Amino acid sequence: MTPSPKQLTVIKAAVFVLALVPLARLVWLTLTGALVEPLQFITRSTGDWTLYFLCIALAVTPLRRLAKWNWVLKLRRMLGLYAFFYALLHFMTFLWFDHFFDVAEMLKDVGKRPFILVGFIAFVLLIPLAITSTNAMVRRLGGKRWLWLHRLVYLVAPLGVLHFWWMKAAKHDLAEPMLFVVIVALLLGMRVWWARQKQANPTAQGRGQTRRV
Amino acid sequence: MLIKRSPNGIDLPFPSEITPRAVFENRRAFIRQMAAGSIAGGALLEMLSREAFAQGVNPKLAARRNAALSAQDKPTAYHDATHYNNFYEFGTDKSDPAENAGTLRPRPWTVSIEGEVKKPLTLDLDALLKLAPLEERVYRLRCVEGWSMVIPWVGYSLSELIKRVEPTGNAKYVEFISLADRKQMPGVASRVLDWPYTEGLRLDEANHPLTLLTLGMYGEVLPNQNGAPVRVVVPWKYGFKSAKSIVKIRFTRDMPRTSWNRSAPSEYGFYSNVNPEVDHPRWSQATERRIGEDSFLSRKRKTLMFNGYDVASLYTGLDLKKNF
């Protein structure tokens, strides 16, 4: 199944709008006063959606390989940027609602508490990926270097999950973080497996195309 | 909306007259209406009618306000105080208790008082309601998670009960044990905590006049999600110290092992006094947000030592950083 360029435009537009639904819901619930404590809800849901989008973006390559849907690659940049967008909102929630833009206080908090530090590192690592997401930047860096840089996401996703795990850890309520561990382990594990296969049998892989991991 | 009642011909200052429920709710409804416009009108109506139903369920409790022990802060809206709760026996989300606590049967109910006492007792709810004159006290409530509320509780000092059971010389601590009934409390099936929920105080803390044996709030009996039918409220400690839906009060020689302390000893100590200088390991306790009052876009308010209560004399000579 390969959509025509026109269909692809429609799909892209649909994904773009759908990805904004969580934000719209958040704004709606906050403005209507439906939430007793919006701060907590906003913090949680922006964090959740960062992880969802990271997982979805990481699922593009496996989906492409397993279902042979090469076209999904065209959605990956947008999905990755949405992960960054929700991470940015999550970070802003922390900086604004929690610390009221007191950067010194925020850094103190980041340094003191490992779970915040881990989340902060994951966020910082996403920044270069977002900055180099344009076509011009891909050209400037050269495909190979760009690819290597964007493998940072393999670090960001586990750090994000660790951040979530740690936040939940003391409450013995690990069902949700456990689910993310399984999904991310699966998504990254598949890549490791494919890389090993390629090492063992370099000619059998790739089906003549330049493969991206 | 103000209706004066005077039972027995005596004009009691009713708790609900402080800031009437209707005013709390109208304010919220008004804000909602403003924000939602007419589109959400249906949802709004549904919400308000549910509220009206809930009002009918909770009988009134006549209580004289104890002004000397009441905070001057503006009480939190009834809706917020009853729809944003930690009560893990009904689920871990803040909205779970209001949704799930309908299965709790607060009557009939008995509380047994036992352990190091000369006169162990088992009291039913009516006996508890009659044990001492009911007072209304407006207390600040500070949750360990960094939010706060102001709630007009109804009850009397726990010391009233303590003096009736006559603790022996061995009694150094008081342990509170909550109901843990799977049939009434869906959250008890989860492994989040070891059930039953257990909390404790040192005997002198339990005897402090501020420690309230609580049977109501906002001039009515306690709603299920707020710990019906009887709970304790210790306003200078984090909220989780104030055990809900108590079935047993035990006087002990040794410090009781409390639920949260057992679950995460590095995060929740036995004392758990509100203390802006002792951080929770995963967040600062220096500031808090007052539910429904502080805009979430504004700077958080500073947390006061002992939540602003004058109880420091209970802890002279005790290192509150070690004994957090």
Side-chain angles (χ1 to χ4, degrees):
Chain A
M1 177 195 115
T2 304
S4 68
K6 212 171 172 182
Q7 282 171 320
L8 193 67
T9 312
V10 174
I11 292 170
K12 271 186 167 177
V15 172
F16 183 85
V17 172
L18 278 176
L20 284 171
V21 169
L23 176 68
R25 179 166 169 263
L26 205 95
V27 172
W28 170 256
L29 289 174
T30 305
L31 291 183
T32 53
L35 305 165
V36 173
E37 168 59 321
L39 168 71
Q40 192 211 23
F41 184 83
I42 295 170
T43 308
R44 290 275 165 93
S45 85
T46 51
D48 285 349
W49 281 98
T50 304
L51 286 177
Y52 297 150
F53 276 107
L54 276 174
C55 289
I56 296 170
L58 278 172
V60 165
T61 295
L63 191 66
R64 184 178 159 224
R65 286 187 63 132
L66 296 174
K68 306 213 167 72
W69 289 0
N70 282 317
W71 60 272
V72 289
L73 190 62
K74 300 238 156 73
L75 298 174
R76 190 168 64 179
R77 168 165 41 195
M78 183 163 51
L79 294 168
L81 279 171
Y82 265 115
F84 176 72
F85 174 65
Y86 281 102
L88 181 69
L89 290 179
H90 188 63
F91 172 75
M92 286 305 291
T93 310
F94 174 68
L95 182 59
W96 183 359
F97 303 161
D98 235 35
H99 293 280
F100 209 69
F101 300 108
D102 192 332
V103 176
E105 269 301 307
M106 180 205 79
L107 288 175
K108 226 167 82 185
D109 219 15
V110 168
K112 255 201 233 173
R113 290 170 239 286
F115 97 98
I116 300 181
L117 180 66
V118 165
F120 185 69
I121 292 171
F123 171 68
V124 169
L125 290 180
L126 270 179
I127 297 172
L129 306 200
I131 292 172
T132 58
S133 66
T134 61
N135 288 334
M137 283 306 270
V138 181
R139 274 195 301 274
R140 241 175 96 177
L141 283 171
K144 221 167 192 171
R145 257 187 293 170
W146 185 91
L147 259 180
W148 267 106
L149 178 68
H150 280 248
R151 282 184 177 136
L152 273 178
V153 75
Y154 301 156
L155 214 58
V156 170
L159 285 174
V161 173
L162 179 64
H163 168 69
F164 185 46
W165 180 285
W166 222 326
M167 193 270 290
K168 285 267 192 179
K171 299 238 168 173
H172 299 243
D173 189 13
L174 291 170
E176 273 178 274
M178 196 74 99
L179 189 68
F180 278 113
V181 169
V182 170
I183 291 170
V184 169
L186 205 71
L187 290 171
L188 297 186
M190 278 193 265
R191 289 169 163 85
V192 173
W193 195 70
W194 283 323
R196 284 207 170 163
Q197 273 207 324
K198 192 189 167 193
Q199 246 177 2
N201 191 358
T203 48
Q205 287 296 311
R207 289 179 300 275
Q209 71 201 13
T210 34
R211 221 160 37 78
R212 286 189 183 175
V213 190
Chain B
M1 296 287 268
L2 263 170
I3 302 157
K4 283 239 176 195
R5 288 162 305 240
S6 59
N8 316 323
I10 305 160
D11 211 353
L12 284 173
F14 271 91
S16 50
E17 288 178 8
I18 299 158
T19 307
R21 269 272 294 274
V23 174
F24 302 148
E25 272 148 26
N26 279 349
R27 182 187 154 268
R28 274 198 84 79
F30 180 66
I31 294 167
R32 265 198 210 105
Q33 229 157 3
M34 290 285 285
S38 56
I39 309 152
L44 184 71
L45 265 177
E46 194 239 357
M47 235 182 280
L48 286 177
S49 63
R50 238 186 334 183
E51 210 62 67
F53 177 68
Q55 273 177 45
V57 168
N58 295 319
K60 304 264 175 228
L61 277 182
R64 194 179 287 277
R65 186 172 191 194
N66 187 330
L69 294 181
S70 283
Q72 298 305 302
D73 311 42
K74 188 164 76 73
T76 301
Y78 180 84
H79 181 274
D80 290 353
T82 52
H83 288 74
Y84 193 76
N85 310 96
N86 284 312
F87 197 169
Y88 280 18
E89 284 85 336
F90 296 105
T92 53
D93 273 355
K94 301 278 182 295
S95 53
D96 286 343
E99 273 166 38
N100 301 331
T103 46
L104 180 74
R105 291 283 151 263
R107 258 175 197 277
W109 192 278
T110 56
V111 180
S112 65
I113 302 118
E114 52 186 62
E116 297 288 352
V117 290
K118 290 187 194 113
K119 295 180 178 166
L121 261 179
T122 298
L123 294 168
D124 68 10
L125 208 50
D126 292 313
L128 275 171
L129 281 162
K130 275 182 270 178
L131 188 103
L134 293 177
E135 293 178 4
E136 181 181 74
R137 300 188 191 168
V138 182
Y139 282 169
R140 285 181 290 273
L141 174 117
R142 169 62 155 81
C143 177
V144 71
E145 297 166 342
W147 50 268
S148 63
M149 289 184 181
V150 180
I151 298 181
W153 301 108
V154 177
Y156 45 83
S157 292
L158 180 66
S159 61
E160 295 281 350
L161 178 70
I162 295 176
K163 71 184 181 204
R164 277 172 175 76
V165 295
E166 297 180 22
T168 68
N170 288 330
K172 297 279 182 291
Y173 295 92
V174 188
E175 186 180 26
F176 304 94
I177 296 158
S178 299
L179 182 74
D181 179 0
R182 267 171 195 251
K183 270 185 247 141
Q184 298 180 61
M185 299 170 143
V188 173
S190 85
R191 308 295 267 312
V192 189
L193 285 171
D194 281 340
W195 311 108
Y197 191 85
T198 306
E199 256 307 335
L201 296 171
R202 227 169 47 192
L203 186 59
D204 60 337
E205 294 177 321
N207 260 321
H208 192 281
L210 280 167
T211 302
L212 192 73
L213 191 79
T214 307
L215 296 146
M217 62 192 260
Y218 295 82
E220 301 173 357
V221 304
L222 284 171
N224 288 355
Q225 63 266 38
N226 293 77
V230 56
R231 63 174 297 174
V232 73
V233 175
V234 193
W236 70 91
K237 291 177 181 281
Y238 293 120
F240 69 90
K241 287 299 288 181
S242 298
K244 300 186 179 92
S245 303
I246 295 169
V247 289
K248 201 178 282 182
I249 301 176
R250 196 151 52 196
F251 290 73
T252 63
R253 270 167 214 257
D254 302 318
M255 187 183 274
R257 301 239 28 215
T258 68
S259 286
W260 278 110
N261 184 244
R262 247 179 306 184
S263 159
S266 63
E267 302 196 358
Y268 310 101
F270 174 80
Y271 284 95
S272 291
N273 290 311
V274 175
N275 188 342
E277 277 148 41
V278 176
D279 286 350
H280 181 280
R282 286 180 292 132
W283 56 82
S284 160
Q285 292 293 25
T287 57
E288 68 196 47
R289 200 177 309 281
R290 180 73 46 89
I291 298 289
E293 196 177 331
D294 298 345
S295 157
F296 67 97
L297 301 173
S298 62
R299 189 184 282 277
K300 296 210 268 186
R301 66 174 67 199
K302 285 208 169 5
T303 288
L304 304 170
M305 187 64 204
F306 298 122
N307 205 16
Y309 291 94
D310 181 20
V311 292
S313 60
L314 286 170
Y315 306 104
T316 38
L318 192 73
D319 181 352
L320 291 174
K321 287 212 162 90
K322 248 191 221 154
N323 299 281
F324 59 89

